[in-house]
Amino acid sequence: MAKFTKTLIAAGLLAAAATPAFAADYSGDIHKNDFKWFQFNVMHTIDQMPYVDGNGFNDTYFEMEFGGRSGIFDLYGYVDVFDIFQSSHSDQHNKDNMFIKFAPRISIDGMTGKDLSFGPVQELYIANLFNVGGANGQFEAMTGLGADVMVPWFGKMGMNLYARHVNEGDGEQGWNGYQFSINWFKPFYTFSNGSFVAYQGYLDHLFDAKDSSTDGTSMFNGIYWHNDRFAVGYGLKYYNDVYGIQNGLEVAPGVHLKTTGFGHYFDVTYKF
C-alpha cells in the first residue's frame, strides 16, 4: 500500500479518535431509523478531468440523486445524463451520455444483532459500490468494509475501503486495486428562516491498481445553501492523477492528458 494511502486512512481514523460514538440503535424495531431522500440536480462543470491538455472539459448535465435507510440497508446513488442541452459546446456532445453510481451498504450490526461500535466507530457495514457507464463503457464493482465514524466538527462521516473488480473496462479486467472513500455533510451556519449553509463533499482514493503507474485521488469540496425544497451550491474539485492516470500521459503524438488540478461545479437542486 502506498505511503500516501496509509497516511490518508490513518489521518481519518486519528481525527475521529477524539470523538466518542454512540452505537446504532435497533432496539424494539429494526426500521426505527428509516429515512429516504430524493432530488434533481442540474450541474455545470468547468475543467472536469481528465481532458486533453489545453482543452478544458465542460458540460451541463442532469443528475437524479437519492439515498436513505431501510432496516439493515443503507443506500446512496445517482444517475447522470450528460449534455442535456445538446450543445456543440459540450465536451460530452455526441458521446455516451449516461453514468450510474449505486452504493448499497449492509449493516453488520443490524444483521448480527450485536453492538459492534468502538471508539469513534458508530456502525460497521459490508460496503459495495457499482460504477456503470461513462466514456469508455465502464462497469466496475467494489466490495469491502464500511463504517460510520464520528469526527470532531464534522459529525458522522462515511468511510469505506473497497477491493475493486472491473467487469468491463478500457483494457482492464478482473480484480484490480483498491479504493478508500470518505463522505461528509456538515451544516455550519443556520439562518433565522431555517435555511442553512453546509460544507459537503467526498474523497475517493484509488491505489494499487496493477494496470496503473500511479494512485489516483479526487476530492469534492462543496459549499451549499439549503432550504426544505431547494439548494444552490458551488464545488471545487481537486484531482491528482485521477483514475490512476499519470498527469501528462501522452495518448497520441504531441497529445497529453491533464489529470491533476482543479475543476469547478455549479449546481441548482430541487428536493422531493
Side-chain angles (χ1 to χ4, degrees), residues 88-258:
S88 60
H89 298 290
S90 168
D91 290 284
Q92 284 292 124
H93 192 56
N94 292 329
K95 296 181 181 179
D96 291 342
N97 63 352
M98 185 171 289
F99 178 80
I100 300 170
K101 181 182 290 288
F102 186 62
R105 301 193 301 175
I106 304 171
S107 170
I108 300 175
D109 299 54
M111 283 193 300
T112 62
K114 304 290 186 181
D115 175 8
L116 302 177
S117 64
F118 60 94
V121 177
Q122 188 177 47
E123 189 168 2
L124 295 176
Y125 299 87
I126 298 171
N128 303 280
L129 174 62
F130 303 92
N131 293 320
V132 182
N136 298 317
Q138 176 189 34
F139 181 12
E140 62 182 16
M142 305 187 197
T143 189
L145 182 66
D148 288 338
V149 182
M150 297 303 292
V151 177
W153 189 76
F154 283 93
K156 184 170 73 174
M157 299 178 74
M159 297 187 184
N160 305 295
L161 180 61
Y162 306 101
R164 176 174 176 260
H165 187 274
V166 181
N167 299 356
E168 298 176 13
D170 188 11
E172 293 184 86
Q173 197 72 39
W175 293 104
N176 191 10
Y178 304 88
Q179 181 170 303
F180 179 60
S181 297
I182 307 174
N183 60 77
W184 61 88
F185 183 92
K186 172 59 180 180
F188 64 87
Y189 186 84
T190 301
F191 296 97
S192 59
N193 62 3
S195 66
F196 62 91
V197 180
Y199 171 44
Q200 58 194 75
Y202 60 86
L203 182 148
D204 292 328
H205 180 66
L206 175 67
F207 61 98
D208 282 359
K210 61 180 181 288
D211 298 326
S212 298
S213 60
T214 182
D215 298 343
T217 305
S218 61
M219 182 180 184
F220 183 86
N221 300 277
I223 301 295
Y224 279 66
W225 169 83
H226 291 263
N227 69 11
D228 290 340
R229 193 61 63 190
F230 296 97
V232 178
Y234 164 74
L236 179 67
K237 190 169 183 178
Y238 172 67
Y239 303 87
N240 184 62
D241 294 336
V242 68
Y243 306 133
I245 303 171
Q246 184 76 48
N247 188 47
L249 178 69
E250 189 172 44
V251 293
V255 179
H256 300 83
L257 282 180
K258 185 168 179 60

